[in-house]
Amino acid sequence: MSATPPGPIGDPLFGNGRQYADDPFEFMRACADSYGDVIRFDLGPRETYLLANPADIERVLVADAERYRKPKFGDDAMNRLLGQGLLMSEGDTWRRQRDLANPAFHNRRIAALSETMVEHTRDHLADWTPGETVDVQLELARLTVRIIVSAMFGADVTDEEVRTVQAKLEPLGARFEPDPRRFLVPSWVPTRENRAFDAAVDTL
């Protein structure tokens, strides 16, 4: 019996990166349907494992979390964006930050945010006029920025600041879009994409 979980065969250079980049969720769903609860595949040079069984996921993230380390993403873009916050830190650093953050996730605190959301939504809609055509995706993005800043920092932002945040989120999202070629170009190479990402992080 093989000790290596089953999985799809990929290309020699990109592994399964092309398939994943075309449609990540469809690729992972097809893997789970075809290969069972534990699947192995390659994203470029990165050996990757997918867990499809909730009990296995709970074991890795909760019950036996000490036995598993968070992945190295192949470049420093994720660390540059998130630093050593909850998503990236481990061990004592993670536990200390989680304890500090716990009160913010209490049910009463979360429920209280509904008033903030409703207030900002009403203010936002007040600028709309009957018969006007609006870009709903853009408007909801602006509303979301206002709600997040208010909920997290207790502050309001100007229209100009909201537009700046929106503009700078674009290169951040682009940097983490699935792309099988990305591992070939280190994050320190001054490509147009990398320069835009660095400028966005600096501004934000």
Side-chain angles (χ1 to χ4, degrees):
M1 182 176 180
S2 173
T4 302
I9 297 174
D11 300 328
L13 180 61
F14 296 111
N16 304 105
R18 296 179 191 272
Q19 300 160 277
Y20 178 83
D22 286 342
D23 190 333
F25 294 111
E26 177 57 32
F27 171 74
M28 290 188 286
R29 187 176 68 174
C31 284
D33 290 343
S34 300
Y35 300 105
D37 289 344
V38 183
I39 305 102
R40 179 200 175 281
F41 54 90
D42 294 318
L43 293 180
R46 187 180 305 142
E47 188 176 40
T48 305
Y49 293 87
L50 170 66
L51 301 180
N53 186 313
D56 293 333
I57 296 170
E58 192 274 342
R59 176 181 175 185
V60 170
L61 296 181
V62 181
D64 291 340
E66 296 292 337
R67 299 182 60 187
Y68 299 92
R69 298 187 59 83
K70 294 181 179 179
K72 302 298 181 184
F73 289 95
D75 62 34
D76 63 357
M78 191 71 76
N79 286 328
R80 174 148 164 63
L81 177 62
L82 299 176
Q84 286 299 304
L86 277 173
L87 289 178
M88 301 300 292
S89 61
E90 296 187 279
D92 291 339
T93 300
W94 180 87
R95 277 187 289 273
R96 184 169 59 254
Q97 295 193 62
R98 189 67 183 89
D99 289 343
L100 289 171
N102 264 338
F105 294 96
H106 192 280
N107 287 342
R108 288 193 299 271
R109 292 289 298 275
I110 298 297
L113 293 178
S114 61
E115 296 180 11
T116 297
M117 296 178 184
V118 170
E119 180 182 349
H120 278 286
T121 302
R122 285 176 173 161
D123 289 344
H124 196 81
L125 292 177
D127 294 331
W128 294 9
T129 58
E132 178 185 10
T133 299
V134 298
D135 182 334
V136 174
Q137 181 176 350
L138 181 63
E139 294 295 327
L140 287 180
R142 289 176 177 170
L143 175 60
T144 300
V145 169
R146 292 186 181 281
I147 291 173
I148 289 175
V149 171
S150 179
M152 293 181 66
F153 305 109
D156 292 324
V157 288
T158 66
D159 289 341
E160 182 180 356
E161 289 170 330
V162 169
R163 286 192 292 270
T164 298
V165 170
Q166 281 185 291
K168 296 306 179 182
L169 287 177
E170 289 293 331
L172 297 189
R175 183 63 181 77
F176 296 107
E177 282 289 321
D179 185 344
R181 300 164 299 178
R182 182 164 290 122
F183 73 88
L184 297 174
V185 183
S187 60
W188 52 263
V189 175
T191 63
R192 182 174 62 180
E193 180 186 67
N194 287 342
R195 291 199 308 272
F197 174 83
D198 290 338
V201 172
D202 290 341
T203 299
L204 293 173

